[in-house]
Amino acid sequence: MPGMKGDRSLAISWPVAKKLWREATMEQPGPSRGTFSAKSDSFQDAVRTLNTLQTNASYLEQVKSQQGDPQTKLEAMKLYLARSGLQVEDLDRLNIIHITGTKGKGSTCAFTERILRSYGLKTGLFSSPHLVQVRERIRINGQPISPELFTKHFWRLYRRLEETKDSKSCVSMPAYFRFLTLMAFHVFLQEKVDLAVVEVGIGGAYDCTNIIRKPVVCGVSSLGIDHTSLLGDTVEKIAWQKGGIFKHGVPAFTVPQPDGPLAVLRERAEQISCPLYLCPPLEALEEEGPPLTLGLEGEHQRSNAALALQLARCWLQQKDHQGIRELKASKLSFLHQLPLAPVFQPTSHMRLGLRHTEWPGRSQVLRRGHLTWYLDGAHTSSSMQACVRWFRQALLRGERRSSGPEVRVLLFNSTGDRDPAALLKLLQPCQFDYAVFCPNLTEVSSTGNADQQNFTVTLDQVLLRCLEHQQHWNHLDEEQATPDLWSAPSPEPGGPASLQLASCPSHAHSTGSLVFSCISHALQWITQGQDPVFQPPSPPRGLLAHPVAGSGASVLREAAAIHVLVTGSLHLVGGVLKLLEPSLSQ
């Protein structure tokens, strides 16, 4: 669209981004290997070797266009398990809780694990993706396994698979996620956990975690549209995939879903005689006692907590745990042709578990002086709607600390086959003053940090995608422009007048947009040196070359409060946390 603000900023941003990338690559090489201790070096070597199992970007595109038989891939996973020295029957000893869903499955896993840990049980948790370090994916009693334990189990499994590879086979090693799944099973068995909470990677039916044959209980969190190239382009098709984790005679629970996908889940359960229950709302479990306090913020977490309570209760019941005697459940009733899961009064252990649940990067708030960071890895339309509700409610609840100007900043990225335009449209009502886009790269060069390496995409791909995000945002911003020819807009009380950019059409709220080549550069611009923890070296030359960057820097420095929402990708949230919370990298 000629004359659009997006066209002008896009034309300037592309060379700036490329220039910054070249300069930073030359000026900021990764740390030399000599800076690592022997212990951390061996851990980093393990992670670097693990990263070689990531699928190359060009090959990934080829695989997407030529998808093989998914059932064959599941059988291959069983062969990898056998080559690693285990049989599927060995996994029965892990007393697994298997959880899938589109949104909230990670939070549900976190709630479930924490509840059962409060009973004194030794827990294992396998989840994805990691935020800062890959060892976060495999947890014992809520803590990521140590670098030493990760290193030991990695090399033991890697060498075992090397020794047993078939010369006739084209693929001797499982891909990245499969390898970590196998490793998690080995760690949990070696560490003798009482139970393992296992989060599905993608889908369910053909996910590599679905070699589990006898879980104790299964759960399905809220369903929506995601990973359409792999799972299908309707919620019903996706529900079919998710219902693939159901097993004969194994209880399963789901939260309320739209009629279509709920019917699919019911049919999948009936086909294999899986008893499927619908979770009552959390309010029903609070009727006879005080309100439940959740460690995770956001109204949407109540649905995840309700599912986690049912999964934990069922596990305790199936294992005849002594704590189950405290529970008083109501009789079953039916809704949507599904039995309603029991209504019961949560025990003190359950209340403690819910209250102390932590799950970084989901509805997380970090307050640093007059900077407040809101971190949420929402990456589907439904989860983004929940994120926007949470963010706006958090802003309303927050006390205005001064009468000076407040600035709202969006830091966004989106990956895979998601629809960034749809996600960005949902963010428009938040009325951001600046929208910032960058790849999921902490620094321009990730050579010094193996945990941040990603070979599944190329540099050109990620930069071009960020520029497309900026173009989408600017187009949406223009659509929101409704100039009133009869009266000039009045500035928001206490808001900085300079936020109304001179190059933009005059309308109620205008957003300046920028693209940076990595997360570190984006944070340097947003914080303007005012975050007490994030204190990087002097910014690279050209960081303020864009007119919006130059004028915006002054606005940010003068602001009494800055509210930054980081969303669109858990990998982006992880990169931001790595810089804002250095302790997570230790």
Side-chain angles (χ1 to χ4, degrees):
M1 194 179 294
M4 272 182 59
K5 175 182 66 173
D7 291 341
R8 287 198 292 274
S9 61
L10 186 64
I12 297 169
S13 297
W14 173 247
V16 169
K18 295 293 280 187
K19 180 172 180 287
L20 286 175
W21 190 280
R22 286 196 302 272
E23 288 180 357
T25 304
M26 289 186 290
E27 295 171 8
Q28 300 178 29
S32 67
R33 289 173 58 83
T35 60
F36 293 115
S37 67
K39 276 187 179 179
S40 64
D41 192 27
S42 62
F43 169 66
Q44 288 290 314
D45 281 345
V47 179
R48 288 191 185 97
T49 305
L50 171 67
N51 287 344
T52 66
L53 304 180
Q54 291 183 27
T55 310
N56 176 274
S58 57
Y59 180 70
L60 196 62
E61 290 302 314
Q62 181 185 338
V63 169
K64 281 183 179 178
S65 61
Q66 304 172 349
Q67 287 185 15
D69 177 16
Q71 187 61 43
T72 303
K73 294 176 183 177
L74 204 56
E75 293 303 316
M77 184 64 180
K78 293 178 184 176
L79 292 176
Y80 284 127
L81 185 72
R83 280 175 51 196
S84 77
L86 294 176
Q87 298 299 320
V88 288
E89 293 81 5
D90 294 319
L91 305 184
D92 299 348
R93 307 202 310 265
L94 293 176
N95 301 316
I96 289 169
I97 299 174
H98 203 190
I99 300 174
T100 189
T102 305
K103 64 169 185 171
K105 61 183 165 103
S107 298
T108 301
C109 288
F111 277 129
T112 306
E113 181 278 329
R114 188 62 186 86
I115 290 168
L116 291 171
R117 183 160 34 110
S118 71
Y119 277 87
L121 296 162
K122 186 175 184 179
T123 63
L125 171 60
F126 178 61
S127 64
S128 61
H130 62 276
L131 294 178
V132 178
Q133 296 196 60
V134 67
R135 57 193 183 87
E136 296 165 25
R137 295 177 182 233
I138 304 172
R139 295 172 181 258
I140 303 291
N141 285 333
Q143 295 300 311
I145 59 173
S146 67
E148 293 78 13
L149 196 62
F150 183 97
T151 303
K152 181 182 84 170
H153 282 285
F154 173 83
W155 288 119
R156 182 181 292 171
L157 176 59
Y158 190 88
R159 287 168 185 143
R160 174 74 177 170
L161 291 169
E162 276 285 315
E163 291 165 3
T164 58
K165 67 182 179 184
D166 183 355
S167 57
K168 299 175 185 176
S169 172
C170 298
V171 182
S172 62
M173 279 287 174
Y176 185 91
F177 183 76
R178 289 183 175 207
F179 188 99
L180 286 170
T181 304
L182 292 170
M183 185 170 153
F185 291 148
H186 278 272
V187 170
F188 295 154
L189 285 166
Q190 288 287 320
E191 296 299 310
K192 295 180 171 57
V193 298
D194 294 314
L195 68 120
V197 178
V198 176
E199 179 188 2
V200 167
I202 295 176
Y206 305 118
D207 184 73
C208 65
T209 63
N210 207 29
I211 58 172
I212 299 165
R213 59 171 206 151
K214 284 188 179 178
V216 175
V217 60
C218 297
V220 182
S221 67
S222 295
L223 298 179
I225 300 289
D226 197 18
H227 299 295
T228 51
S229 62
L230 295 171
L231 305 180
D233 55 3
T234 68
V235 189
E236 286 75 18
K237 290 177 182 176
I238 290 170
W240 188 92
Q241 295 278 354
K242 305 290 183 183
I245 70 167
F246 296 158
K247 302 294 186 294
H248 174 77
V250 174
F253 296 83
T254 186
V255 298
Q257 313 278 6
D259 290 345
L262 191 62
V264 173
L265 291 178
R266 188 177 67 244
E267 288 166 15
R268 289 283 267 167
E270 289 172 350
Q271 286 168 2
I272 57 166
S273 300
C274 161
L276 176 63
Y277 302 91
L278 191 63
C279 294
L282 204 60
E283 291 78 9
L285 278 63
E286 294 174 311
E287 285 180 355
E288 295 184 19
L292 294 163
T293 303
L294 306 186
L296 305 184
E297 288 190 15
E299 188 66 23
H300 57 288
Q301 294 293 355
R302 291 179 65 80
S303 168
N304 301 327
L307 175 56
L309 283 168
Q310 295 292 346
L311 294 172
R313 177 191 179 278
C314 182
W315 191 94
L316 292 165
Q317 189 177 50
Q318 296 285 99
K319 291 298 168 183
D320 198 26
H321 193 274
Q322 59 183 12
I324 199 66
R325 293 172 190 163
E326 304 172 56
L327 297 173
K328 294 179 181 178
S330 65
K331 292 181 180 179
L332 289 176
S333 59
F334 282 78
L335 187 67
H336 299 292
Q337 297 181 330
L338 273 181
L340 202 61
V343 173
F344 59 90
Q345 189 171 345
T347 66
S348 58
H349 291 304
M350 292 175 174
R351 289 179 175 276
L352 181 73
L354 290 175
R355 186 166 64 250
H356 289 161
T357 299
E358 295 179 357
W359 201 230
R362 289 80 168 177
S363 309
Q364 183 179 4
V365 179
L366 291 176
R367 291 183 174 84
R368 303 281 183 75
H370 67 277
L371 272 157
T372 306
W373 301 89
Y374 304 83
L375 304 134
D376 191 89
H379 51 271
T380 68
S381 291
S382 52
S383 60
M384 189 60 76
Q385 287 171 336
C387 171
V388 168
R389 281 195 300 271
W390 162 71
F391 176 65
R392 296 180 77 179
Q393 287 168 0
L395 288 176
L396 288 171
R397 285 198 308 267
E399 294 181 11
R400 195 176 175 92
R401 298 178 185 178
S402 69
S403 58
E406 295 196 357
V407 180
R408 296 181 191 178
V409 181
L410 169 67
L411 180 57
F412 178 91
N413 192 35
S414 177
T415 61
D417 54 11
R418 280 114 194 177
D419 181 358
L423 299 179
L424 290 168
K425 188 169 186 176
L426 292 169
L427 287 160
Q428 282 278 311
C430 295
Q431 294 195 312
F432 293 103
D433 300 304
Y434 295 98
V436 178
F437 306 96
C438 68
N440 297 338
L441 300 166
T442 310
E443 305 287 348
V444 170
S445 172
S446 62
T447 54
N449 182 10
D451 286 285
Q452 298 292 320
Q453 289 177 335
N454 183 359
F455 301 138
T456 64
V457 289
T458 66
L459 170 57
D460 281 345
Q461 283 175 332
V462 296
L463 280 176
L464 281 169
R465 188 163 175 111
C466 289
L467 293 166
E468 288 169 5
H469 294 160
Q470 183 192 40
Q471 205 167 26
H472 285 310
W473 181 266
N474 290 339
H475 181 64
L476 289 165
D477 206 33
E478 288 293 329
E479 285 183 342
Q480 293 293 318
T482 53
D484 186 343
L485 299 177
W486 302 104
S487 62
S490 56
E492 188 177 332
S498 57
L499 289 181
Q500 298 294 328
L501 301 177
S503 60
C504 302
S506 177
H507 59 273
H509 197 92
S510 168
T511 307
S513 64
L514 290 161
V515 172
F516 290 99
S517 51
C518 66
I519 297 168
S520 179
H521 292 172
L523 295 196
Q524 286 180 59
W525 182 79
I526 292 168
T527 61
Q528 294 296 313
Q530 297 175 90
D531 187 291
V533 177
F534 178 65
Q535 293 290 328
S538 57
R541 291 190 305 271
L543 194 68
L544 301 180
H546 192 289
V548 174
S551 63
S554 301
V555 172
L556 289 164
R557 283 194 295 268
E558 294 166 7
I562 302 171
H563 302 279
V564 189
L565 174 62
V566 183
T567 192
S569 165
L570 271 169
H571 298 286
L572 174 67
V573 168
V576 170
L577 276 173
K578 175 180 167 59
L579 296 174
L580 295 182
E581 296 277 33
S583 61
L584 295 175
S585 301
Q586 295 170 0

